[in-house]
Amino acid sequence: MKFKHAASFILCIIFALLSTGCVTTHVHKFRMTASEAPEVHGANTQQDPHSSSWRFTGKVNYNAEKNVNITKDVSEAPDLDRLFDVPIKFKDASYKMGGLDFSGKVDFLYKASSFVIGGGLGYKDGIYSHLTMGANYSHFEFGVFLGGYNQYIDMQYSGDKGEDCGDSDNDCSNFSHSGTDFAGSFFGGFYTGFYLEKFFTNLSVSTYSPNPEIEGINLDVPRITTAYLTIGYRLNRWLEFSVGGIATFIDTSEGNSYPGVTGGVSIYL
């Protein structure tokens, strides 16, 4: 048991001896859509020293549809204001993931001698942005990135809240919700790429943890990590094509994962 939950439980017992009891929250059913982590990569070619470039990318992504059981792994996020409350108890909770989606992104990259800095702004089930730092050489590149992911999620849940819920003389209130919500979180990761002539391949790995909310309470839910392995061809100075595979991993006790495919076009300025 986590320290915070253990402390809450002990304090709740003490509080119950001095008053009427503790408020408990039971979530009978919880569903939320969750997207794969965004893709970030480098220049896909050797960029000239002391130069900058703009890239506009559009992609089509398809990931296997999957309902991921997170009942054992979701919990209430730490909050000192709720110290006397018993942690939320979930009976049935899951992510709804996968399907067909479209993404778009604009990147800016600046290279000094070999050092590269840049940033990007994109859309993938919500708006995300990031800063990039790395190195670019004659036939390979690598880097790291950190940003924010503002995701739109469909969320449904229902449950009850009160003292001694389940007893015949309980005083509990029911709650339910179904609709689109907004969740902001940080994401980060790394990329590496290799290129020869007009051909390139790159690997991008990024990770984030959604930040849903129930009845004004933030939840601690499993982390989502996505790896993109793509190959591509630079047709000319301004246009490139790429295709590849996607592997998404959900940090649950059951170790869930599922595959996908991606393809797109980029225009450089």
Side-chain angles (χ1 to χ4, degrees):
M1 180 179 291
K2 295 180 180 179
F3 175 80
K4 186 262 176 183
H5 290 172
S8 298
F9 182 73
I10 294 173
L11 290 173
C12 184
I13 293 177
I14 297 174
F15 187 75
L17 296 175
L18 301 176
S19 59
T20 58
C22 283
V23 174
T24 61
T25 300
H26 295 270
V27 179
H28 303 302
K29 185 176 182 180
F30 174 75
R31 299 286 185 273
M32 66 169 286
T33 58
S35 179
E36 298 74 30
E39 179 187 11
V40 178
H41 56 85
N44 294 335
T45 188
Q46 182 182 13
Q47 187 170 331
D48 293 333
H50 309 290
S51 69
S52 61
S53 66
W54 290 89
R55 177 175 60 213
F56 299 85
T57 302
K59 283 199 168 186
V60 179
N61 312 290
Y62 178 77
N63 295 274
E65 296 186 25
K66 187 170 185 177
N67 290 325
V68 181
N69 182 9
I70 61 172
T71 306
K72 297 180 181 180
D73 305 281
V74 61
S75 63
E76 176 191 352
D79 186 349
L80 293 178
D81 292 337
R82 293 179 53 81
L83 193 59
F84 285 97
D85 288 348
V86 173
I88 295 178
K89 298 180 179 179
F90 288 84
K91 294 183 178 180
D92 180 12
S94 67
Y95 283 153
K96 297 173 62 178
M97 304 191 69
L100 181 67
D101 72 76
F102 301 88
S103 61
K105 188 162 178 275
V106 55
D107 288 287
F108 173 79
L109 295 170
Y110 174 78
K111 179 180 177 180
S113 55
S114 58
F115 179 73
V116 174
I117 58 172
L121 178 66
Y123 177 85
K124 179 178 172 57
D125 296 326
I127 303 296
Y128 67 95
S129 60
H130 64 85
L131 297 175
T132 303
M133 181 175 63
N136 178 272
Y137 298 102
S138 58
H139 294 294
F140 71 97
E141 62 183 348
F142 59 88
V144 295
F145 53 87
L146 180 66
Y149 190 13
N150 302 309
Q151 185 180 175
Y152 295 97
I153 59 176
D154 293 327
M155 190 159 61
Q156 302 87 37
Y157 59 82
S158 61
D160 51 51
K161 181 178 181 180
E163 297 180 3
D164 301 321
C165 290
D167 294 344
S168 58
D169 58 347
N170 67 67
D171 182 19
C172 291
S173 60
N174 297 322
F175 59 84
S176 64
H177 170 82
S178 178
T180 301
D181 293 275
F182 175 84
S185 55
F186 292 104
F187 81 100
F190 69 91
Y191 68 86
T192 183
F194 299 88
Y195 32 83
L196 182 64
E197 300 293 338
K198 294 184 177 182
F199 294 93
F200 64 87
T201 180
N202 59 59
L203 171 67
S204 170
V205 179
S206 60
T207 182
Y208 81 103
S209 180
N211 188 28
E213 183 179 286
I214 286 184
E215 299 296 295
I217 303 169
N218 291 325
L219 301 180
D220 182 10
V221 294
R223 178 169 293 277
I224 298 170
T225 301
T226 304
Y228 298 83
L229 180 61
T230 57
I231 59 174
Y233 180 77
R234 180 72 68 92
L235 185 64
N236 51 44
R237 178 181 175 185
W238 302 278
L239 187 64
E240 74 177 23
F241 302 91
S242 64
V243 295
I246 307 172
T248 300
F249 307 89
I250 303 93
D251 187 20
T252 66
S253 55
E254 300 175 3
N256 288 278
S257 63
Y258 63 96
V261 293
T262 182
V265 178
S266 295
I267 298 174
Y268 288 81
L269 298 178

